[in-house]
Amino acid sequence: MNWAISRRAQQLTSSAIREILKVTERPEVISFAGGLPSPATFPVAAMEQAVARIFADNPQAALQYAATEGYMPLREFIAKRHAVDVERVLITTGSQQALDLIAKVMIDPGSPVLVETPSYLGALQAFSLFEPEFVSVPGDDKSLLPESLTPELTAGARFLYALPNFQNPTGRRMPLERRQALVARARELGLLLVEDDPYGELSYSGDQLPSLLSMNPDGVIYMGSFSKILAPGLRLGFVIAPPELHFKLCQAKQASDLHTPSFTQRLAYEVVRDGLLDSHIPTIRTLYAAQCQAMLDSLARHMPEGVTWNAPEGGMFIWMELPEGLDSMEILQEAVNRNVAYVPGAPFYASNPRRNALRLAFVTVAPERIEQGVAILGTLFREAIAKHAPQAKAA
Amino acid sequence: MNWAISRRAQQLTSSAIREILKVTERPEVISFAGGLPSPATFPVAAMEQAVARIFADNPQAALQYAATEGYMPLREFIAKRHAVDVERVLITTGSQQALDLIAKVMIDPGSPVLVETPSYLGALQAFSLFEPEFVSVPGDDKSLLPESLTPELTAGARFLYALPNFQNPTGRRMPLERRQALVARARELGLLLVEDDPYGELSYSGDQLPSLLSMNPDGVIYMGSFSKILAPGLRLGFVIAPPELHFKLCQAKQASDLHTPSFTQRLAYEVVRDGLLDSHIPTIRTLYAAQCQAMLDSLARHMPEGVTWNAPEGGMFIWMELPEGLDSMEILQEAVNRNVAYVPGAPFYASNPRRNALRLAFVTVAPERIEQGVAILGTLFREAIAKHAPQAKAA
């Protein structure tokens, strides 16, 4: 039977990349593809104690239906951390759900939505279901360019979606003066900013730049997550929004899953309530800084001339560019044949993909395996460059 | 700032009922309004043991990102229980999310969607966000009427949404011959059936009628839930769908929240894996049957002539009708003033609401409080009938 499905579902197609990357679950594959945090950072002992407290105190409450907005003590914890009114905080089932809710509340078919170049793939997917017209905002190796936000480019835009901190996929961080310029520009233009910040706390040096939210709480929807600082399997994120949008997001949330599991919300709250994050986050930073350095060292040793990459100041990703004309998507199959995986850059672009770019994740792979995997990629890219060069000349 | 929001978000309005019912959280209010299962039925001890096993075995896996389709052992458990291929099973963040995913995948603005008269409010809300055109299917006190499904009524319908077992809000159960007729009719018409079954296991006598799914697995999307047989705070539901629709639902799920929390999925699996449900569900049935009987007894004692209600064979709800011309929504405010709450029937109708109907939930209120609350309602309805009668004559 061929059932009639929605237009939005028809455009959901099987991803070629996902098919290739399926094999990366084999233990022999060295995967720089996944966006997974390191399980070594999960505060398991603290969670075990937290669960014991839940069962000792009031397990029924942790197992019953609860308010759509989320568990009040957890909302208060978040509100305090971000210096906002608790009435603006909504707990979501991971920050992916915040993307879905924002899309539901803000996007009509054909609505212009501004995104960075490149942007987070999961956001492009979530928004796509609501059929916006994506507008790519020009950027450089640091961030989007605030001065590119002209009235023409932003006309009718429902919002600008940006990841200022250690962006997925590029790892780049928006400098302070760009943040200030962006917020000022958006205010002038009447442009809503959607700030996605899952990696903000993962600055290797510990220095943090002010959020867009802190610069203009009434003009920003801020999305945060416990996935990278506690554990992603809890699926706990949150969204901080101006009151009238908060209310709409709550209504959309109620229709979407009623509320985020009571049990995981209380678990997270019991873990963080007494200040665990203050001691825990620095251990993640230290680990990820070392992992990043290991990869940078390996890249310096093995990458052929013509390949470039950045040195992120935080987060989980390095962005690499192969020489123009090479296609990281085409090369991926051979990389996987040699038991190394990465994510090609093209799907992170809403338009005009740079096919020579790719994303490397480094936090879950042991340094000796990083060295091994990067060596294999170095050889592969060298071969690809050599193979490509004569064609380039012929062309 | 007045941000431009989506058309679907504009139609989300504050619910008058929700505002009135907010006060039902006060302990002095006897609430027959909530759809909450009784916390006395949560298998807390089994859950505590299950959590201990998770932490002893592989806590990192329970805390890491996981497959969109869900935790394989839990999917296998569900597949076995419903005698379907595991590849058809998708775990959802409560069965409310299944409604959202089905709407995403199946509904375009203006798509006809068939619903029962009345139907589950949460489904109407979830579907509404995708702007279908609801078509109400005629029914009686037993269920919808399969013979009413003519080619004219069902033309272009994306699906028919039905709750055959102890429906929310009416408590009614569709008889076997109606199920057979419905499935046969749907097959003839090429009509997809969406079967929502959160209460199927809550038959007081323990007898269960075959699911629509079991009669035609390729023509039915089946939604199930752990909310009423384990605990709703886990937010665990599932959807069983024909392969091509399962695949689309998984893609929509990935964009919606990546996956349901790994921790709660493993917790549920550890609780049910060794057969706990076989001994646990009968205890819920016994409790709910006694609660139902307590309410039926109180109703018989206190309700004035002209008020009618059904005697459900399972589930959590009794459906009541006041004499024609009375409006249960208008009376609600006075009921709440007297510290008793219920849910008016009107919002459960996609069209032509019966304003004299209302829903009574009986599973969380102690029998002596049921007696007290029903006595108050009896007095109130008697007064309302008396007040209404002269007007009726005058009209």
Side-chain angles (χ1 to χ4, degrees), chain A residues 8 12 63 104 233 248, chain B residues 8 12 63 104 233 248 254:
Chain A
R8 81 182 69 77
L12 290 167
L63 296 167
K104 271 192 178 128
K248 291 289 178 188
Chain B
R8 81 182 69 78
L12 290 167
L63 295 168
K104 271 192 178 128
K248 291 289 178 188
Q254 190 179 40

Side-chain angles (χ1 to χ4, degrees), chain B residues 79-231:
Chain B
K80 200 171 161 200
R81 213 166 162 84
H82 292 275
V84 296
D85 186 333
V86 67
E87 294 300 327
R88 296 185 174 214
V89 179
L90 167 64
I91 307 289
T92 58
T93 309
S95 112
Q96 186 69 30
Q97 187 185 43
L99 293 167
D100 178 62
L101 298 178
I102 290 167
K104 271 192 178 128
V105 167
M106 304 301 298
I107 302 177
D108 284 313
S111 302
V113 165
L114 302 167
V115 294
E116 294 179 270
T117 310
S119 185
Y120 170 52
L121 177 56
L124 297 179
Q125 287 173 338
F127 297 161
S128 282
L129 277 172
F130 298 89
E131 306 177 80
E133 192 179 307
F134 286 119
V135 179
S136 295
V137 178
D140 59 16
D141 59 337
K142 292 198 169 60
S143 73
L144 62 80
L145 300 170
E147 65 272 25
S148 69
L149 297 171
T150 59
E152 293 69 42
L153 191 80
T154 63
R158 291 295 166 88
F159 57 83
L160 162 60
Y161 171 74
L163 299 97
N165 289 318
F166 318 120
Q167 194 218 32
N168 184 351
T170 60
R172 70 191 184 185
R173 174 157 69 160
M174 190 184 290
L176 178 59
E177 54 281 14
R178 293 250 182 114
R179 294 173 191 236
Q180 290 162 336
L182 171 59
V183 169
R185 199 88 170 193
R187 201 195 291 257
E188 267 171 48
L189 293 162
L191 175 65
L192 180 68
L193 299 175
V194 173
E195 178 177 24
D196 191 359
D197 192 23
Y199 314 106
E201 314 244 27
L202 303 184
S203 153
Y204 302 147
S205 70
D207 73 315
Q208 286 182 251
L209 296 179
S211 64
L212 308 179
L213 175 76
S214 69
M215 296 177 183
N216 184 16
D218 287 332
V220 176
I221 297 181
Y222 177 93
M223 301 166 50
S225 173
F226 289 99
S227 290
K228 310 305 185 294
I229 55 174
L230 279 187

Side-chain angles (χ1 to χ4, degrees), chain A residues 8-191:
Chain A
R8 81 182 69 77
Q10 286 169 36
Q11 52 142 16
L12 290 167
T13 50
S14 182
S15 151
I17 295 175
R18 198 174 305 149
E19 290 309 305
I20 297 173
L21 291 179
K22 266 191 181 164
V23 301
T24 63
E25 284 161 26
R26 297 192 326 243
E28 65 272 24
V29 174
I30 300 172
S31 179
F32 305 133
L36 283 63
S38 169
T41 67
F42 302 161
V44 172
M47 289 195 186
E48 198 165 1
Q49 289 160 21
V51 170
R53 275 207 296 278
I54 290 173
F55 279 104
D57 291 353
N58 187 355
Q60 272 86 3
L63 296 167
Q64 186 57 286
Y65 282 120
T68 297
E69 291 82 353
Y71 180 50
M72 185 50 93
L74 185 61
R75 293 173 69 205
E76 284 167 344
F77 177 87
I78 292 162
K80 201 171 160 202
R81 214 168 161 82
H82 292 275
V84 295
D85 186 332
V86 67
E87 293 302 327
R88 296 186 175 215
V89 179
L90 167 65
I91 307 289
T92 58
T93 309
S95 112
Q96 185 70 30
Q97 187 185 44
L99 293 167
D100 179 61
L101 298 178
I102 290 167
K104 271 192 178 128
V105 166
M106 304 301 299
I107 302 176
D108 283 313
S111 301
V113 166
L114 301 167
V115 294
E116 294 180 271
T117 310
S119 184
Y120 171 51
L121 177 56
L124 297 178
Q125 287 173 337
F127 297 161
S128 282
L129 277 171
F130 297 89
E131 307 178 78
E133 192 179 307
F134 286 118
V135 178
S136 295
V137 177
D140 59 15
D141 58 338
K142 291 197 171 57
S143 73
L144 62 80
L145 300 170
E147 66 271 25
S148 69
L149 296 172
T150 59
E152 294 69 42
L153 191 79
T154 62
R158 292 295 166 89
F159 58 84
L160 161 60
Y161 170 74
L163 299 96
N165 288 318
F166 319 121
Q167 192 217 33
N168 184 352
T170 60
R172 71 191 183 185
R173 173 157 69 159
M174 189 183 291
L176 178 59
E177 55 280 16
R178 293 251 181 113
R179 292 173 191 237
Q180 290 162 336
L182 171 60
V183 169
R185 199 88 171 192
R187 201 194 292 256
E188 268 170 47
L189 293 161
L191 175 65

Side-chain angles (χ1 to χ4, degrees), chain A residues 138-361:
Chain A
D140 59 15
D141 58 338
K142 291 197 171 57
S143 73
L144 62 80
L145 300 170
E147 66 271 25
S148 69
L149 296 172
T150 59
E152 294 69 42
L153 191 79
T154 62
R158 292 295 166 89
F159 58 84
L160 161 60
Y161 170 74
L163 299 96
N165 288 318
F166 319 121
Q167 192 217 33
N168 184 352
T170 60
R172 71 191 183 185
R173 173 157 69 159
M174 189 183 291
L176 178 59
E177 55 280 16
R178 293 251 181 113
R179 292 173 191 237
Q180 290 162 336
L182 171 60
V183 169
R185 199 88 171 192
R187 201 194 292 256
E188 268 170 47
L189 293 161
L191 175 65
L192 181 68
L193 298 176
V194 174
E195 177 177 26
D196 192 359
D197 192 23
Y199 314 106
E201 314 244 28
L202 303 184
S203 153
Y204 302 148
S205 70
D207 74 314
Q208 286 183 252
L209 297 178
S211 64
L212 307 179
L213 174 75
S214 69
M215 298 177 180
N216 184 16
D218 287 332
V220 176
I221 298 180
Y222 177 94
M223 302 165 48
S225 173
F226 289 100
S227 290
K228 310 305 186 293
I229 55 174
L230 278 187
L234 299 177
R235 309 303 305 117
L236 280 176
F238 55 91
V239 55
I240 298 171
E244 70 282 13
L245 296 177
H246 167 79
F247 180 67
K248 291 289 178 188
L249 290 167
C250 288
Q251 289 181 305
K253 164 88 178 162
Q254 189 179 42
S256 299
D257 66 358
L258 296 183
H259 64 83
T260 293
S262 321
F263 195 87
T264 51
Q265 291 189 68
R266 284 172 187 250
L267 172 48
Y269 176 68
E270 290 295 329
V271 168
V272 301
R273 60 183 292 179
D274 295 326
L276 175 121
L277 292 178
D278 298 337
S279 57
H280 181 61
I281 292 174
T283 66
I284 307 178
R285 289 176 181 150
T286 305
L287 174 67
Y288 286 10
Q291 292 282 130
C292 183
Q293 194 54 53
M295 180 164 270
L296 289 171
D297 292 347
S298 295
L299 291 172
R301 271 193 289 277
H302 297 291
M303 281 297 143
E305 207 175 327
V307 177
T308 59
W309 59 91
N310 62 343
E313 299 169 281
M316 300 167 43
F317 305 109
I318 287 173
W319 188 243
M320 174 173 277
E321 297 205 0
L322 306 179
E324 289 284 349
L326 288 186
D327 186 331
S328 64
M329 177 77 203
E330 277 174 22
I331 300 171
L332 176 62
Q333 184 61 63
E334 180 55 24
V336 168
N337 291 347
R338 298 183 194 186
N339 288 333
V340 186
Y342 56 81
V343 180
F348 294 96
Y349 291 83
S351 57
N352 304 319
R354 290 186 67 78
R355 300 196 180 280
N356 56 326
L358 59 98
R359 190 192 75 178
L360 296 169

